[in-house]
Amino acid sequence: MWDSESESVTGRDYGNGILSSSKQGVKTDGFEQRDRSWYVATDIPSDFLVQVGDVNFHLHKYPLLSRSGKMNRLIYESRDLDLNKVALDDLPGGPEAFELAARFCYGIAVDLTAANISGLRCAAEYLEMTEDLEEGNLIFKTEAFLSYVVLSSWRDSILVLKSSEKCSPWAENLQIVRRCSESIAWKACANPKGIRWVYTGKPPKVSSPKWNEMKDSSPGRNSQVPPDWWFEDVSILRIDHFVRVITAIKVKGMRFELIGAAIMHYAGKWLPGLITDGAGFIDEASNSSNSNSNSSGGISWKGGLHMIVAATKDDTPKVQAKDQRMIIESLISIIPPQKDSVSCSFLLRLLRMAIMLKVAPALVTELEKRVGMQFEQATLEDLLIPSYSKNETLFDVDLVQRLLEHFLVQEQTELSSPSSRSFSDKHMYDGTHRGANTSAKVRVARLVDSYLTEVSKDRNLSLTKFQVLAEALPESARTCDDGLYRAIDSYLKAHPTLSEHERKRLCRVMDCQKLSIDACVHAAQNERLPLRVVVQVLFSEQVKITNSLANSTLKESSEALYQPVISNRKTLLEGTPQSFQEGWATAKKDINTLKFELETVKSKYL
């Protein structure tokens, strides 16, 4: 449908992409270059010098005046009819575009391609080569080539948009950027079944093959087209043009998961800092976009459409800090608002770079809120963000505190949001949603406990920051406080100079009744804990064992009512829980030992 080469200008009225002017004032065999100067191959001596940058063009006045309104004004408004030198340092497209425009003025054939059409169209507008001077002038012909050839081709639209980067703001004002962006967006959103696709079918590290090779390596008509086929081609664009394309794609209704995957792919290519610590987001984005497509067809094409740029790691663009900041700010602004449009790991790494490069505070806050929306998906590795400010702590604990607050606010908002469902549907939704929220909070609690264990080794971490972060979650989020106890013990190891009062204050964040038996045994022998906490732990351990024995007895008696009499002692032991197979004698012995230890500790405490 939009195969670039199959839609070449052959068969159209553009002479195979060759433009020529019908009028010729000076007979010439062409242009020739000597060092940094161009000369017209003619017997008539040159009478006009045009300087474009550091390149000189030795030309003739008449061919230029007959087709360029700007040349007319420069000469006649100067009131110097003998003017023989003009400098055009601000000409869009530079010397390359002016050379083509000059050839057109002399009636020499000009080969239009996707690589030169943007600069030539802007140069024609700058030189005012309008229909008022000659019918079929350069503006008309370049505009026709853009409209009928370039915009009908995927590959040419990408190349023209890429080449337009050198022609700002002319390409923007002439609507070249807008038209190419909309053309790309329309093709990216089109139904793949009705398109004659041309793939390289080769891995990204292989450079783009020639057209003959493309035809041979194309997938069959019935082959499944991966939804991320356009990612690699679009990722070569400059950030402002990429934003224009993504915005146009959003308007046309593409799924937000695909848009998010494309953004992650682009970030992985242009922000090398995102992938230094692990696998790149290019693979992650590709996997997320292919998750649905690979389930039925079983075919996964790694090549992109036409493969305009080879996506090798060695070709990673070199981006300055200022440009990286602009890229991050732009990407934050176009991330789809829906939850899970991009991964939480990607958001956290983007946040790390945003803080490091001092991105606008409003955008950093927006990014923090986005992380809070899916905070339960975060990993400890991504949360360990260094402190780039003047804080004395090694890691940015305040940032994690803000992320946790955003998560809790989001959870509360989802619970309190009104719903237009029917009564039965609403109650069913509330039950499942409340369960999902509880499970998310449990995962976040484990994550926070692991984070506290890691950052507690920093001797500059204050007790207040540790306590505030530990108490930020509601009590219902932790069904077991073993992780919190581990963090407290680690903090006590790293801060041996804490007073008795500070140690008691630290241990208040932990509920001894939520400790497992193994944690209780460890805590009972932990000399770093305050004595009162040790007593509470021993008492809690005794209560747990008593309850366990009581529950075991009730279970055995209830089973005896409904089960046949067990024949022998061996079968009885097999039906008893492993921890109580030694019978009542051993259990009573353990209880007496615990009572003795508890009395000993109480006497020492008094």
Side-chain angles (χ1 to χ4, degrees), residues 234-277:
V234 172
S235 68
I236 72 170
L237 300 174
R238 197 173 64 187
I239 182 61
D240 54 336
H241 294 166
F242 177 76
V243 169
R244 292 290 294 270
V245 170
I246 293 298
T247 303
I249 286 176
K250 280 184 179 179
V251 171
K252 298 189 184 303
M254 180 172 282
R255 300 199 319 267
F256 67 85
E257 300 96 334
L258 269 181
I259 296 176
I263 292 172
M264 289 194 289
H265 186 96
Y266 186 91
K269 189 182 186 81
W270 289 89
L271 299 173
L274 280 177
I275 58 176
T276 52
D277 297 333

Side-chain angles (χ1 to χ4, degrees), residues 560-577:
L561 293 174
Y562 298 101
Q563 293 180 358
V565 179
I566 301 174
S567 58
N568 52 43
R569 187 173 182 277
K570 181 179 180 182
T571 311
L572 177 63
L573 288 175
E574 289 176 353
T576 308

Side-chain angles (χ1 to χ4, degrees), residues 283-548:
D283 296 334
E284 181 181 340
S286 179
N287 292 337
S288 65
S289 63
N290 283 327
S291 58
N292 296 328
S293 64
N294 291 339
S295 58
S296 58
I299 298 175
S300 177
W301 284 86
K302 297 298 183 183
L305 187 64
H306 295 292
M307 292 304 296
I308 291 172
V309 171
T312 61
K313 291 291 181 68
D314 297 335
D315 294 335
T316 302
K318 304 297 182 183
V319 186
Q320 300 297 327
K322 181 181 178 182
D323 296 328
Q324 285 189 341
R325 188 184 309 117
M326 183 176 65
I327 290 173
I328 292 173
E329 291 176 348
S330 300
L331 292 181
I332 294 173
S333 65
I334 61 172
I335 294 176
Q338 293 87 348
K339 183 179 179 180
D340 296 328
S341 58
V342 293
S343 68
C344 187
S345 180
F346 169 77
L347 290 173
L348 281 167
R349 295 195 180 203
L350 197 64
L351 179 60
R352 175 186 297 194
M353 287 196 71
I355 295 173
M356 181 177 63
L357 296 172
K358 299 181 179 178
V359 167
L363 290 174
V364 173
T365 302
E366 178 65 24
L367 196 54
E368 290 176 0
K369 291 179 180 178
R370 291 302 307 269
V371 174
M373 287 174 60
Q374 47 200 97
F375 193 52
E376 70 276 7
Q377 303 170 8
T379 62
L380 177 61
E381 180 185 2
D382 293 327
L383 271 188
L384 294 174
I385 299 176
S387 179
Y388 295 106
S389 60
K390 296 181 180 179
N391 295 337
E392 295 180 354
T393 55
L394 182 61
F395 298 105
D396 198 341
V397 181
D398 294 333
L399 172 63
V400 176
Q401 176 71 32
R402 293 196 300 271
L403 297 178
L404 185 56
E405 290 172 359
H406 290 311
F407 167 77
L408 294 173
V409 169
Q410 179 68 23
E411 292 288 306
Q412 189 62 34
T413 304
E414 290 180 359
L415 285 174
S416 60
S417 60
S419 175
S420 57
R421 297 174 180 81
S422 64
F423 182 79
S424 58
D425 292 343
K426 184 175 180 180
H427 277 267
M428 186 181 300
Y429 169 80
D430 288 345
T432 56
H433 195 64
R434 193 174 292 110
N437 284 344
T438 303
S439 126
K441 285 181 181 177
V442 169
R443 289 197 297 271
V444 169
R446 291 173 184 166
L447 177 65
V448 170
D449 291 347
S450 300
Y451 180 80
L452 285 171
T453 303
E454 192 66 31
V455 300
S456 63
K457 302 169 186 176
D458 183 5
R459 295 192 175 185
N460 294 322
L461 178 65
S462 66
L463 175 60
T464 302
K465 284 189 177 183
F466 183 97
Q467 186 176 8
V468 169
L469 185 56
E471 294 177 341
L473 283 166
E475 292 184 5
S476 59
R478 291 186 178 94
T479 56
C480 177
D481 275 9
D482 284 11
L484 196 54
Y485 167 68
R486 194 178 297 110
I488 291 172
D489 186 42
S490 177
Y491 189 88
L492 290 173
K493 283 181 184 178
H495 301 78
T497 57
L498 289 178
S499 65
E500 182 74 11
H501 173 72
E502 289 173 330
R503 287 189 291 147
K504 288 180 181 178
R505 177 182 157 196
L506 175 64
C507 292
R508 283 197 199 106
V509 303
M510 174 182 65
D511 185 357
C512 295
Q513 295 181 1
K514 289 185 178 181
L515 294 178
S516 65
I517 294 181
D518 290 338
C520 287
V521 171
H522 185 278
Q525 302 172 4
N526 194 340
E527 298 178 354
R528 289 180 290 273
L529 295 177
L531 192 56
R532 176 179 291 183
V533 175
V534 174
V535 172
Q536 291 176 352
V537 168
L538 287 171
F539 180 75
S540 173
E541 185 180 10
Q542 181 180 357
V543 170
K544 279 189 177 71
I545 292 177
T546 304
N547 291 338
S548 297

